[in-house]
Amino acid sequence: MFDGTGHEYPILVVADHKWRDLPGMALLKTILEERHDLPVLIVGYESIGAGLQYFRPRALVMTTLIGPRERKLAKAAHAIGSPVIIIPTDPGSRESMPALLGKPSDWEACDLYLAWGAFMENLVVVGGHVPKEKVHVTGSGRFDFYRPPLRQHLLPPGELAGRYGLRADCPVVTWATTFVMASYLDDEKTLQYNEKDFESRGLAHLPGFANLRVLAEREKRARDSVLKWMRQACEEFPQVEFMLKPHPYEPTAPYEQLWEECRRDGIENVRLCTSDYIWNLLSGSALLIHTGSTTGSEAWLMNVPTVFLQPDGYARFKTARGGASLAIDALEDVQENMAGLRERLAYYLGGGKVSDLLLQKRNAYLEEWFYALDGRASERQAAAIADLVKRARHQHNPSLSPPWVGLRTPLRVLQYRLNGLLGREFDKPFFEDRHAVPKDFLGQRDKVVRQRDVQTWTRKVREALAMSGTPVVRRDNG
C-alpha cells in the first residue's frame, strides 16, 4: 500500500472508466511492477490532482488531452518533471476520431502517445498533434482479454447460464444498447452540462453535435423503437435466451420497465445484465445485436456474428453527419427495422455464417485499428513506458510542488494524509456516500475507482497469468 512515505515514487495511471479501462490498467500495473520494477498507482480522474500533490509520481498516464481539465493536470505533472503519457481508451471511428483528438495545440504536453494501431498513429502524426518520435503503436490492453493467456479465464458459458437461470441447449443472443444521449432529456441540468462539456472539448463544432438537444431527441425515438423490437423478438423467438446489456452510462430504468412488462405478460426469455462485462456475455453468445459501439469489434474477436441496428437510419455519428454512411457500415450487417432484424435472427440462429469476404475485410480493419491482436499489447505499453520513465528519471524532482488543480484537491490530500496516519488505504472514505449509491463489481452504478477495485482486478490478472503458466516475474535486475 502506498502511504506517501518510504516508498519509491509511483507511476500514476488513470482508469477513466471503472467498467471499461480498469481491467486493462490492472494488467499494465502488473507488468510494470513485476517485469520492470516500477510501482504503479491506479486512480480515477477525480483523484489525479491530489495524487500529484501527495505522491509526486514519476510519470502521469492519462487517456486524452483535449479537455481543459486534462491539460491543467498535464502541466501540473510537468511542474515536477513527470512525463505525460497518453493511452487512448476509446478508438472512436473514422468519422469521430479527428474530433476526439481536438486541436494540435492541445497536445503540447504529451511526451508519449501509445496508439492502438496504424490508423490512429497516422492521424496524430499527420494532423500535427504528436511528433512521430513520441508515438508508439502498441495495440490496446483492453483487448488482451480476448486472446490467450487471459481469454481462457473469462466466465465459462456454463457459469453464465447458472448465474442468470438460462435454459440449457437454448441459443443466447446478447443485445447491447448505447443510447446514452437519450437520457440527457431526463434532466435539464444534465443536458446543459453536456452541452457545455461538448463545447469545451471541441466536439460541438461537429455537424449535429452543435444541437445536442435535437440529437438526444432523435436518439430517444430510436431507443423507443428498439425497446419495442426487443419485446417483439422475445415473443417471436421463444427458443432464444436474450441477454439485454445497456451501456454502463445509460440509466437502466427503461430496460427495467421492459423486463418487468415482459415478466408480467409471461415473456421469460429476456435477462437484464447490468453487472457483467461484455466479454462474459459474448463468450457464450450465438449473436450480438448492438446499436453502435466497440462491442461489435469485440464480438468479431470472439467469432460472434453481429447485427448493427440503426432504427430508421439512426446511428449517432451518421445522424451527426447528416445521415451520411459510416465507414464501419461496410463491415457490419446493418438493419434499420424490425423486418430486417427478424430475418437476420432467423438467418444466424438457423446456422447462417458471415461471408469469407466480409471476414477478410473485418480482419483487415482490426489489424489497422488495433495492431497485433496477440494478447501482448499491455506488454508493449509497459515496455514503452518503462523506457521513457527510466530515461527521464533524472528530470523528476519531487521536491518541487505542482500547482493545485481542482477545488477539492486540498480536501483529498488531507484525506490521504489522515488515512496514512491511520494505516488505511489512502482513498478510503471517512463517511459513507450520503446518496447511498449501490456498489457493484462492474461499476455501472458505482463509477468511482477505489483501491479495493484495483486490488480486485490486479488479483484476478495475477491469478489468470499464473494459471496459464505465463511468467509474471521477470525483473530487469534478475
Side-chain angles (χ1 to χ4, degrees):
M1 182 194 307
F2 291 105
D3 59 8
T5 60
H7 289 281
E8 188 174 6
Y9 297 101
I11 295 173
L12 196 63
V13 173
V14 179
D16 193 3
H17 295 75
K18 180 177 174 180
W19 52 271
R20 182 185 69 188
D21 305 335
L22 186 53
M25 294 309 185
L27 176 58
L28 178 66
K29 169 184 169 70
T30 299
I31 297 170
L32 280 170
E33 291 183 341
E34 300 298 338
R35 299 186 187 181
H36 299 281
D37 279 327
L38 292 171
V40 172
L41 191 64
I42 300 176
V43 299
Y45 259 103
E46 71 285 346
S47 299
I48 303 177
L52 290 171
Q53 292 286 340
Y54 188 65
F55 295 105
R56 308 297 171 91
R58 292 169 61 179
L60 174 62
V61 180
M62 295 196 295
T63 62
T64 185
L65 282 172
I66 70 168
R69 172 187 64 171
E70 289 81 0
R71 294 194 292 275
K72 288 180 181 179
L73 292 166
K75 290 180 180 178
H78 277 180
I80 56 173
S82 298
V84 174
I85 301 158
I86 301 299
I87 301 181
T89 55
D90 188 342
S93 64
R94 288 185 182 275
E95 294 78 19
S96 66
M97 191 65 195
L100 293 173
L101 283 174
K103 303 184 299 295
S105 59
D106 295 341
W107 292 84
E108 294 175 352
C110 180
D111 299 294
L112 178 64
Y113 185 91
L114 301 181
W116 285 22
F119 180 87
M120 194 178 286
E121 175 192 31
N122 184 67
L123 197 61
V124 299
V125 172
V126 174
H129 296 81
V130 185
K132 186 174 180 59
E133 63 270 17
K134 293 184 178 182
V135 180
H136 288 234
V137 176
T138 61
S140 170
R142 171 179 169 189
F143 291 94
D144 284 350
F145 288 83
Y146 291 94
R147 289 289 186 262
L150 294 175
R151 175 170 174 168
Q152 58 263 42
H153 301 292
L154 304 184
L155 191 69
E159 188 172 335
L160 184 72
R163 178 177 296 180
Y164 289 98
L166 305 179
R167 293 168 294 170
D169 302 322
C170 285
V172 175
V173 172
T174 293
W175 199 315
T177 62
T178 45
F179 297 120
V180 178
M181 290 186 180
S183 65
Y184 296 170
L185 299 174
D186 297 338
D187 180 70
E188 184 65 24
K189 290 183 179 179
T190 299
L191 179 62
Q192 292 176 0
Y193 169 83
N194 281 283
E195 287 175 333
K196 292 180 181 177
D197 186 59
F198 273 50
E199 183 67 36
S200 69
R201 293 176 180 275
L203 299 177
H205 72 277
L206 284 176
F209 283 98
N211 194 329
L212 194 55
R213 185 184 302 274
V214 171
L215 189 61
E217 290 172 348
R218 182 78 187 274
E219 186 161 290
K220 186 176 186 301
R221 290 195 294 271
R223 186 184 68 185
D224 291 343
S225 294
V226 167
L227 286 168
K228 182 173 67 176
W229 297 345
M230 284 180 184
R231 177 176 174 123
Q232 287 182 250
C234 292
E235 291 177 322
E236 295 179 20
F237 295 86
Q239 78 282 12
V240 176
E241 294 283 9
F242 289 93
M243 307 290 281
L244 175 52
K245 177 76 174 78
H247 187 283
Y249 271 10
E250 283 190 83
T252 57
Y255 305 102
E256 291 172 353
Q257 181 178 348
L258 172 68
W259 182 85
E260 291 170 356
E261 290 175 354
C262 285
R263 282 294 188 271
R264 181 196 64 198
D265 297 334
I267 303 171
E268 299 185 352
N269 60 331
V270 59
R271 306 294 191 279
L272 183 58
C273 312
T274 61
S275 296
D276 262 303
Y277 278 82
I278 187 65
W279 55 56
N280 286 337
L281 304 181
L282 292 175
S283 66
S285 293
L287 175 67
L288 170 73
I289 303 169
H290 69 96
T291 56
S293 72
T294 53
T295 57
S297 302
E298 291 167 83
W300 300 347
L301 292 174
M302 303 191 79
N303 300 314
V304 176
T306 60
V307 171
F308 186 175
L309 203 57
Q310 299 182 7
D312 302 319
Y314 175 84
R316 184 175 301 168
F317 279 98
K318 176 182 288 188
T319 302
R321 297 171 67 239
S325 294
L326 305 173
I328 197 71
D329 287 354
L331 305 177
E332 277 282 10
D333 191 335
V334 176
Q335 300 299 324
E336 297 187 354
N337 50 50
M338 182 60 198
L341 175 60
R342 181 184 296 112
E343 188 276 330
R344 291 288 86 187
L345 276 167
Y347 173 78
Y348 287 117
L349 295 174
K353 304 294 184 182
V354 179
S355 71
D356 290 339
L357 178 59
L358 186 54
L359 286 176
Q360 291 174 9
K361 291 180 178 179
R362 287 179 176 179
N363 288 335
Y365 167 86
L366 290 171
E367 182 177 342
E368 180 185 33
W369 273 93
F370 307 122
Y371 187 51
L373 289 160
D374 55 4
R376 307 294 180 189
S378 293
E379 294 180 16
R380 291 186 285 271
Q381 290 176 342
I385 292 171
D387 179 64
L388 175 66
V389 169
K390 290 176 180 178
R391 282 191 290 108
R393 188 168 188 171
H394 67 281
Q395 300 174 4
H396 182 234
N397 190 347
S399 64
L400 297 177
S401 179
W404 293 91
V405 180
L407 297 177
R408 297 184 180 181
T409 296
L411 290 177
R412 288 188 185 276
V413 171
L414 178 60
Q415 174 191 1
Y416 296 173
R417 286 175 176 163
L418 291 176
N419 277 330
L421 292 173
L422 295 173
R424 309 193 316 171
E425 293 174 349
F426 71 88
D427 64 349
K428 187 176 180 62
F430 282 92
F431 304 99
E432 290 300 321
D433 184 355
R434 61 188 177 87
H435 297 295
V437 178
K439 306 297 187 292
D440 63 57
F441 175 67
L442 177 63
Q444 179 152 338
R445 304 188 70 180
D446 167 29
K447 295 180 173 62
V448 179
V449 176
R450 298 202 186 282
Q451 291 313 291
R452 60 188 178 210
D453 307 310
V454 175
Q455 292 163 7
T456 295
W457 265 111
T458 302
R459 183 180 68 252
K460 283 180 172 290
V461 166
R462 291 177 185 273
E463 291 174 351
L465 293 176
M467 289 172 63
S468 67
T470 301
V472 176
V473 180
R474 188 170 66 237
R475 292 192 169 97
D476 296 343
N477 61 8

